[in-house]
Amino acid sequence: MSKRRALFLSTAVLFILAPWTLCRPNDTGSISGTSSAMEGKVTTRSGITIHYLQSGASADSRALVLIPGWRLPAYLWTGQLHEFAQTMRVIAIDPRSQGLSTKTREGNSPEARAEDLHEVMAALGISRPVLVGWSQGAQDVAAYLQQYGSVSVAGIVLVDSPVSIGPGEVKEHPEFAQAILSGVAAYMSDPQAYSRGMVRSLFKQPHPDLDFEGIVKAVLQTPVDTGAAMLIADIFGADRTSALAKLDKPALVIAASSSPLLVQQKEMAAKIPRAKFLAIDDAGHAVFVDQPKQFNEALKGFLAALDH
């Protein structure tokens, strides 16, 4: 396998990468490594418990809602939980079957996770979110817009991932589709080795204080068959681009300039009304961890523009 093909394969897989009753949010205290962030849980009407981290003004209906990538934990957003808490409410979510949220064999698709997100925000009194979806999280944001529209959304940010066109990916992007499907086979045959390599490939910069083994342990919390189902549903489950074309709220697309899917992300941004595009140099897939200053400044500028 050529170096170019190996790089494409490893990176492409990351782009996925009765009456209604809700439990009261359960804030349980701060979590190690997240500064002043507090933990909480919301149980949805389907019985799924969603774990989240929260910082900033906890009663504000406006919030920055951060959604991580495939199998990855909410605490990777630690830098943003700290930085943006100074000016607003910030929520980072462990989607179902990830992190400390319920592991389930059912509903592991962006559409089901969008329903979870809707219920979590309702339980927390968030009515004016800025939805930030990274990798798989970009699919969740698009699925949310398809199901609930943009009426209550202040804006969206898509981080280093194009939104999927569903089964059409096989015909339109055959090399990408082949990479994803090959990655599923590698993941299922040796999930530990695959996950360790995946976590390492997220970053381009050295992070001596980052607990890589802890992140690997976190991603392995997702059962392998569930993880495979999630990835297939993310990439091939549905065409979610129509919601973006009709978006009537501001949008920001932030990509790593070295992304093998940079062109697709630029094209996506060009099709979203009122969208801006930014490519950040010297960053891996986890752009907001590798280049937090540039990422945070771009997000701050986007948020400031929403207020005018």
Side-chain angles (χ1 to χ4, degrees), residues 20-22 43-49 96 106 112 115-116 119:
W20 183 29
T21 59
L22 292 167
T43 301
T44 69
R45 59 186 175 184
S46 63
I48 301 297
T49 297
R96 67 165 61 196
E106 298 179 352
E115 291 181 18
D116 294 341
E119 295 188 27

Side-chain angles (χ1 to χ4, degrees), residues 54-287:
Q54 178 171 238
S55 61
S58 61
D60 197 344
S61 64
R62 178 178 184 250
L64 189 63
V65 180
L66 308 169
I67 308 167
W70 181 51
R71 301 190 294 143
L72 290 157
Y75 68 72
L76 282 180
W77 294 104
T78 292
Q80 288 67 43
L81 282 160
H82 174 72
E83 181 72 19
F84 290 91
Q86 301 174 46
T87 56
M88 67 186 303
R89 186 182 189 183
V90 189
I91 306 287
I93 290 176
D94 278 329
R96 67 165 61 196
S97 297
Q98 292 182 215
L100 298 178
S101 292
T102 298
K103 309 305 183 293
T104 175
R105 291 180 180 273
E106 298 179 352
N108 291 294
S109 67
E111 286 67 35
R113 292 193 297 268
E115 291 181 18
D116 294 341
L117 176 61
H118 183 71
E119 295 188 27
V120 168
M121 292 195 297
L124 297 178
I126 298 170
S127 59
R128 294 183 297 144
V130 175
L131 301 179
V132 182
W134 166 47
S135 195
Q136 172 186 272
Q139 311 297 340
D140 295 2
V141 170
Y144 183 91
L145 293 175
Q146 281 193 322
Q147 293 180 67
Y148 302 104
S150 60
V151 174
S152 64
V153 173
I156 69 163
V157 181
L158 304 176
V159 183
D160 211 42
S161 177
V163 167
S164 175
I165 60 173
E169 294 286 355
V170 175
K171 181 178 180 180
E172 294 297 322
H173 306 120
E175 186 177 2
F176 173 68
Q178 184 178 355
I180 293 295
L181 295 172
S182 298
V184 170
Y187 166 51
M188 296 189 76
S189 65
D190 193 343
Q192 191 163 86
Y194 177 92
S195 297
R196 183 166 283 107
M198 185 195 88
V199 170
R200 290 286 176 184
S201 71
L202 291 173
F203 310 102
K204 206 169 188 179
Q205 299 300 321
H207 298 285
D209 297 329
L210 200 59
D211 182 4
F212 285 95
E213 289 305 313
I215 301 172
V216 173
K217 184 178 179 180
V219 302
L220 287 170
Q221 294 300 306
T222 300
V224 176
D225 55 350
T226 299
M230 289 165 64
L231 189 56
I232 296 300
D234 292 341
I235 304 301
F236 305 112
D239 183 344
R240 305 180 186 97
T241 57
S242 61
L244 301 180
K246 297 183 291 185
L247 183 64
D248 58 357
K249 298 293 176 64
L252 174 63
V253 177
I254 301 178
S257 63
S258 59
S259 168
L261 300 178
L262 186 66
V263 171
Q264 289 92 324
Q265 292 184 74
K266 284 183 178 179
E267 291 175 347
M268 176 180 70
K271 294 176 182 178
I272 303 174
R274 303 176 63 185
K276 293 184 177 180
F277 176 83
L278 173 67
I280 295 180
D281 295 333
D282 300 319
H285 188 43
V287 185

